[in-house]
Amino acid sequence: MNEPSEHVEKHERRDFLKLLVGGATAAVALATRPETVDAADSPKPLEELPDGESMILRMQGELRRALAKPVEKRRWVMVIDLRKCVGCSACTIGCVAENKLPPGVVYRPVMEEEVGEYPNVGRRFLPRLCNQCDNPPCVPVCPVKATYKRPDGIVEINYEQCIGCRYCLPACPYGARTADFGEFYTSGTPRAEPYEKLPSHEYGREWPREQDKSPVGNARKCHFCIHRLDAGMLPACVTTCIGYATYFGDANDPESLVSELIARPNAMRLKEELGTKPRVYYLV
């Protein structure tokens, strides 16, 4: 099989920018909707994809093919090629912007480690996010059953049901959950900036950022950008990765790129010995 990078054609950057512009336009449209989105809203027809054979377009086409199946037939996985990750944190920033994350809440930090001894030293990077485990330790410890696994494998949090006990935070062996203490980046300055109160679009509805109302006080974590998946778009961290190191798709589709990648001998998962069965794979 060819390496994914070999699919990158000269026109990929142009196609990629088109996707970014399309995604940004959709995000602005969602941000300006005056009313709360009902999860039961009828899905709208997806726009046609531009021509091209880029890796991003391939994954987006595969995503839409998966959306045509019943939700229980999908098996979303993410693959991160650590050999391509340069530690730029574009994925972290893209995630913060997409989900309107406040201080202290990060869904996808990039861990750094220095290796070797002077003068032969280097750095290696590990993007760390919710692993959407098939056997998630965070679920059984929730006393109010506010976190659960969806039929497509994404571990979801019901913000309205979460009581903020934070039992799930230490239960996660990957440290992928954080608590939202209701902070603002502009706290302590003469004026709180309006953009900090823009609503996020998690779990099928808008969440205005108001004091003492969800998601303030709740546990929070990565959800594979469910709101983007429902709109036929890839997670924000996939489209913002400058090194094309992050892949996403349906592992139940044998023709998908992620199915090819996770079958490679250099694919591994974190802490597999715990039996959590993560759905995030790393290529090493």
Side-chain angles (χ1 to χ4, degrees):
M1 186 192 69
N2 293 331
E3 291 288 330
S5 59
E6 295 176 11
H7 293 289
V8 179
E9 304 293 345
K10 292 181 179 179
H11 55 270
E12 181 173 356
R13 180 171 177 79
R14 184 175 65 244
D15 294 332
F16 176 60
L17 290 174
K18 288 180 179 178
L19 287 174
L20 282 182
V21 171
T25 303
V28 169
L30 285 170
T32 54
R33 288 184 64 177
E35 299 177 355
T36 298
V37 176
D38 188 342
D41 281 352
S42 299
K44 298 179 180 178
L46 302 176
E47 294 182 2
E48 291 187 5
L49 294 174
D51 295 330
E53 298 180 358
S54 75
M55 183 183 65
I56 293 291
L57 287 175
R58 175 183 174 182
M59 289 190 291
Q60 191 154 357
E62 292 168 353
L63 185 152
R64 296 187 176 192
R65 191 163 68 223
L67 291 177
K69 301 191 298 184
V71 63
E72 67 274 11
K73 299 292 185 183
R74 308 167 197 158
R75 181 168 174 262
W76 300 125
V77 303
M78 184 170 285
V79 183
I80 302 172
D81 192 337
L82 297 182
R83 301 166 302 176
K84 293 182 177 179
C85 179
V86 296
C88 68
S89 295
C91 57
T92 306
I93 297 169
C95 175
V96 169
E98 176 68 28
N99 293 293
K100 311 291 188 299
L101 300 183
V105 178
V106 183
Y107 289 173
R108 186 180 163 116
V110 178
M111 315 307 291
E112 298 187 28
E113 181 184 16
E114 185 174 290
V115 294
E117 294 184 4
Y118 179 83
N120 301 309
V121 296
R123 299 189 73 79
R124 58 189 176 194
F125 309 98
L126 179 74
R128 190 200 65 197
L129 63 157
C130 174
N131 280 245
Q132 316 294 348
C133 304
D134 277 337
N135 184 24
C138 55
V139 170
V141 300
C142 180
V144 294
K145 303 185 185 306
T147 188
Y148 44 84
K149 196 167 185 64
R150 296 175 12 140
D152 58 3
I154 297 176
V155 177
E156 188 168 296
I157 299 174
N158 184 330
Y159 284 156
E160 296 288 27
Q161 199 163 335
C162 176
I163 58 175
C165 69
R166 302 196 288 276
Y167 283 2
C168 56
L169 269 66
C172 175
Y174 306 103
R177 290 184 171 227
T178 52
D180 187 340
F181 292 105
E183 298 178 343
F184 294 94
Y185 288 101
T186 51
S187 295
T189 64
R191 189 188 70 168
E193 293 298 331
Y195 64 80
E196 290 209 72
K197 296 186 178 180
L198 289 175
S200 64
H201 303 282
E202 300 173 89
Y203 305 123
R205 56 163 286 189
E206 291 186 349
W207 297 94
R209 192 154 186 79
E210 300 172 353
Q211 196 67 31
D212 299 329
K213 292 185 178 180
S214 294
V216 173
N218 297 145
R220 302 184 68 177
K221 69 171 196 68
C222 164
H223 40 70
F224 280 170
C225 284
I226 294 173
H227 57 290
R228 289 177 61 93
L229 299 183
D230 290 342
M233 298 188 294
L234 294 164
C237 58
V238 176
T239 59
T240 54
C241 179
I242 65 170
Y244 300 104
T246 300
Y247 313 97
F248 184 83
D250 176 20
N252 279 346
D253 179 355
E255 303 298 323
S256 68
L257 177 58
V258 293
S259 291
E260 297 175 9
L261 295 175
I262 65 176
R264 292 185 176 182
N266 62 328
M268 53 83 68
R269 296 180 289 182
L270 298 178
K271 300 183 178 181
E272 289 195 73
E273 69 277 9
L274 299 179
T276 54
K277 300 180 180 178
R279 292 198 180 192
V280 175
Y281 292 75
Y282 294 90
L283 300 181
V284 297

